[in-house]
Amino acid sequence: MFYKNKNEGYQQAIEGVALKTMVRGEKTEFVKFKLEAGHTLPMHAHEQEQTGYLVSGSIVLTIGDETFPVEPGDCWCIPSNVQHGAKIIKDSIAVEVFAPRRQDYLKKSDA
């Protein structure tokens, strides 16, 4: 599968967090996030392992009991079922891979 980048197609996950699934494989999913400064991604957990990379901006990421200041070029891996969340310091772009794929990120037209 090939995806040509475009600025449309984002869905609002929560206030301050928009996402777009760019490509989906049989076992993985590649998602781009637009994160707005001043918002918080609440602590949560899910069955998927989550590997990410901060493209631009600044966030403070909490994984389990550890907190990390994240700048462009930094990356992370969150194991399955581990609580995590983030404070968005500057408008940011992050890309993440989920395995297995997240059914809750499917657009209605993809279901």
Side-chain angles (χ1 to χ4, degrees), residues 1-8 20-23:
M1 172 180 270
F2 175 81
Y3 172 83
K4 183 72 173 166
N5 190 36
K6 42 191 155 172
N7 276 331
E8 62 224 22
K20 174 171 55 170
T21 296
M22 298 174 73
V23 292

Side-chain angles (χ1 to χ4, degrees), residues 13-25:
I14 60 171
E15 187 176 352
V17 178
L19 67 92
K20 174 171 55 170
T21 296
M22 298 174 73
V23 292
R24 293 171 62 89

Side-chain angles (χ1 to χ4, degrees), residues 36 52 74 106:
E36 293 180 25
D74 294 344
L106 277 174

Side-chain angles (χ1 to χ4, degrees), residues 78-97:
I78 303 166
S80 177
N81 298 311
V82 170
Q83 288 283 321
H84 58 284
K87 292 181 184 174
I88 306 163
I89 308 304
K90 296 180 185 175
D91 286 349
S92 300
I93 300 290
V95 292
E96 295 187 299
V97 174

